[in-house]
Structure formats: C-alpha cells, structure tokens
Amino acid sequence: MIQKKVLSSSDESSEDEHVEELQDKQKLIQAKANKPTRTSVSAEVYGQFNKKGQYQAKKVNKSEDAVKRIKQRMSQAFMFSALDEHELAIVIDAMEEKKFKAGDFVIKQGDDGDVLYVVDQGQLDCFKVFKKGEPEKHLKVYQPGESFGELALLYNVPRAATIKAKTDAICFSLDRETFNHIVKDAAAKKREKYEEFLSKVELLKDMDPYERLQIADALKVQKFNQKDYIIRQGEQGNTFYFIQKGDCIATKTENGTEKEVYSYKVGDYFGELALIKHEPRAANIVAQSEVIVVYLDSDSFRRLIGPVDEILKRNMSRYEKYVKK
C-alpha cells in the first residue's frame, strides 16, 4: 500500500529538551565562574591543552576476533560512518571490551560520562525521567551495532538517560579523548543535520526529541536519478523512506499499463505499509528529478517507528482506492 504524509510549512524544528536543560545549567555554572559558554557543538574551541594536534593515540591490546567484531559493529553504527580508514583504525585501537550481566546498570541518568558504548552482543534497555518526580519512561532497546552514551561527550553534560542490560551483554567502549579528537565533529554534524530534517516531517513532529535522535542515528542515505525506480510493485518491502530532496510519483501497473496514482515531495514518506502489513510492495515509486532519500531498514523501522504504527494504519484507507487489486 502507498501512503503519504504532507510536510506542513508551519512546522518548526523543536529543541532537544533534555540537552537544552542540561546545557542551560552548564551555562549558569560557567557564567558564575566567568568562563565562556559553548554556543554549539560545532562552535566548540579546543583549548591550549586540548588541541587535536597534541592527541596521542590510545592503543588497547585485543584479539584479532575482537578487532573483527569491532569493525563489524562500527560499520553498523552511524557514529563512525563519516570516518576515513586511518581514523577508523585509530578508533578501533582505542576501543575496549566491556562485559555486563543482565540487570547491570551501564550508565545512569545524571551521572558524569567519559565513554560511549557500541553494542556487540545482547540487548540493553534505555530509560529516561523527563520531569523530576515522574516515573521513568522506557524509550527503546539497544541492539548489536547501535551506540549510546555519546550525548555526554558531544555536549559535555551529565548522562541524559539510564542504560541497563536486559540480557548478558558485551559492549565496546570509546574514551572521551579519542572521541573528541577523531569522531566528534563528524558525528555531531550528521546528527544535527538529520534531526533538523526529521523535526519537520509531520509524522515525527510530536515524537520526543530523544526518540527522534534515535531515528536520526539509524538513517542511511541513497541517491536516485530522474526516472529511477526506488520501489517496484510486487517486490518484498524491507525499507521505509523519507524524501530529503526531489519529487517522486507512485504508479500502479494493471493489465500491462502503468498509471500514476500519487505524488510525493520533500518531507513525505513511503514504503511503510509493506512493513506494517508484511505484504509485497503495492505500487512503484519513481523519481521525477534527482532524488535523495534517507531510509530505515525493516529492523530499525519496527524498533523505532513501532509506536506510531497505529497512526500509519489509520491513514491507510485514504489510499485504498489507488492500490487495491
């Protein structure tokens, strides 16, 4: 089935409330100490004793098997997608294996943080208290290949959430110094870019900013030329797309004739109904110009978009007449 949500031009990008609150507290502390505050991640200045050129690469001894596993998990984690081979090698050398038993707390909301983690094995629950006195909210389950704990390093603030091992788990940790000198700039730019875009997608605008960041982390990018088929009718669906640039149309092929049934523009999404209904694609999606899409695979879709399945299903009926057989 094909479904569309139209981008509202009046939608404004929302702030990440928990980061904003923590940054405000930090600014007050810094102001009292007559220290300059940070205006943004990208504007951060390295001090005399924190220059990138003075960084001494850290090397933690590990087995060939551990190195292989780290490479595999890093290829799955958005945080490292912008690094070149040399930078990846430095990060791999610096990573350290950490083992947790089911029920162990890996990080606790409000604590200081000096490492981030990449999940290698097992599952870990993420909880957050949004307002003092309210019960904590379960946000998601971290799976192998995902990373967490980077907010404390990106913004130099206390931990924004609690992570607890749901099962026995193995993670690889990366220290603050290596993160700051090798990973930080690329990771921050990618997250800010896609979080801003997602905040303007009507489907996601009411999601909590922390949840939207998790979607930003999982997004992958793909480009198409005019007339390219992004989705083909009848094939098995395993991806959910957002249009970042360009225009597309949906077409339905019946009795050998292909007919246009819908159109899409920047901020619209498609491909989700095949994932919800577990059926083959009901229509084609064809690029009408140069198109850039960001997409989620089926596992990420169900894990991250799951809470809005009902919203998507309620809107199915609008498009039934275009795609029913």
Side-chain angles (χ1 to χ4, degrees):
M1 299 289 178
I2 298 298
Q3 180 186 13
K4 177 177 102 166
K5 274 288 186 178
V6 180
L7 175 67
S8 169
S9 61
S10 62
D11 291 342
E12 295 182 355
S13 177
S14 58
E15 294 290 330
D16 186 333
E17 295 174 352
H18 68 278
V19 173
E20 180 182 39
E21 178 183 357
L22 293 168
Q23 287 178 316
D24 286 344
K25 291 179 180 179
Q26 184 188 26
K27 288 177 180 178
L28 288 174
I29 294 171
Q30 291 175 318
K32 291 179 181 179
N34 292 320
K35 294 181 179 180
T37 59
R38 295 177 182 178
T39 56
S40 68
V41 176
S42 59
E44 181 172 352
V45 177
Y46 288 83
Q48 180 180 357
F49 299 102
N50 195 26
K51 293 179 181 178
K52 290 186 176 181
Q54 297 177 336
Y55 170 67
Q56 295 296 316
K58 175 182 177 181
K59 188 165 185 176
V60 177
N61 291 329
K62 52 183 70 70
S63 67
E64 290 185 8
D65 176 67
V67 171
K68 183 178 179 180
R69 285 156 48 212
I70 292 173
K71 287 181 178 179
Q72 178 186 0
R73 297 312 180 193
M74 287 179 67
S75 70
Q76 297 171 291
F78 99 100
M79 187 68 62
F80 311 105
S81 61
L83 302 183
D84 61 31
E85 290 187 9
H86 175 67
E87 292 167 332
L88 284 171
I90 293 174
V91 172
I92 290 170
D93 281 345
M95 281 190 161
E96 188 171 355
E97 184 175 284
K98 302 287 186 180
K99 296 182 178 181
F100 302 96
K101 295 290 186 182
D104 285 353
F105 286 93
V106 181
I107 62 177
K108 291 185 178 181
Q109 184 175 345
D111 286 353
D112 291 333
D114 57 2
V115 297
L116 69 82
Y117 296 90
V118 177
V119 183
D120 179 44
Q121 298 177 27
Q123 298 179 323
L124 301 100
D125 284 314
C126 176
F127 302 93
K128 180 172 175 60
V129 176
F130 287 93
K131 291 185 179 180
K132 189 175 181 180
E134 291 185 356
E136 64 183 8
K137 178 182 177 182
H138 183 266
L139 297 182
K140 66 169 292 178
V141 178
Y142 280 99
Q143 306 283 352
E146 295 187 288
S147 59
F148 61 87
E150 74 286 348
L151 284 179
L153 308 188
L154 281 171
Y155 299 101
N156 196 23
V157 293
R159 295 296 193 188
T162 295
I163 308 295
K164 184 179 181 181
K166 184 175 184 177
T167 65
D168 288 354
I170 298 176
C171 298
F172 295 111
S173 67
L174 182 68
D175 64 284
R176 177 188 293 275
E177 188 176 11
T178 302
F179 177 82
N180 280 344
H181 286 78
I182 307 299
V183 183
K184 186 171 188 174
D185 289 347
K189 288 176 182 177
K190 180 175 181 180
R191 169 168 273 185
E192 289 170 356
K193 175 182 178 180
Y194 289 119
E195 201 282 331
E196 180 180 4
F197 167 72
L198 292 173
S199 71
K200 297 177 181 178
V201 174
E202 188 174 347
L203 170 67
L204 307 177
K205 68 178 183 179
D206 293 327
M207 293 183 73
D208 178 82
Y210 189 87
E211 294 171 319
R212 202 159 51 235
L213 282 176
Q214 307 313 305
I215 296 175
D217 290 355
L219 289 176
K220 299 177 182 178
V221 182
Q222 192 169 1
K223 296 181 180 180
F224 295 91
N225 295 319
Q226 186 177 19
K227 304 301 182 183
D228 283 352
Y229 280 71
I230 302 173
I231 283 177
R232 287 190 178 271
Q233 182 178 339
E235 67 184 11
Q236 192 61 42
N238 57 12
T239 45
F240 172 38
Y241 299 88
F242 297 93
I243 300 178
Q244 187 177 7
K245 175 186 176 183
D247 301 285
C248 302
I249 60 170
T251 66
K252 180 82 171 175
T253 302
E254 294 180 343
N255 301 320
T257 301
E258 188 172 352
K259 180 181 178 181
E260 179 179 341
V261 296
Y262 222 79
S263 61
Y264 298 84
K265 62 180 182 299
V266 173
D268 291 344
Y269 60 85
F270 56 85
E272 76 288 352
L273 296 185
L275 304 186
I276 294 172
K277 299 184 73 175
H278 308 289
E279 295 177 351
R281 302 291 194 189
N284 306 297
I285 303 294
V286 187
Q288 295 300 288
S289 61
E290 181 181 74
V291 170
I292 299 176
V293 296
V294 290
Y295 66 92
L296 294 172
D297 59 45
S298 57
D299 289 340
S300 298
F301 172 86
R302 293 191 177 94
R303 188 167 66 249
L304 299 172
I305 305 293
V308 297
D309 275 3
E310 291 305 314
I311 297 174
L312 297 170
K313 289 176 181 177
R314 284 198 298 270
N315 291 322
M316 279 187 195
S317 60
R318 178 183 298 183
Y319 309 98
E320 287 289 337
K321 64 180 180 181
Y322 296 122
V323 295
K324 71 179 181 179
K325 298 178 181 179

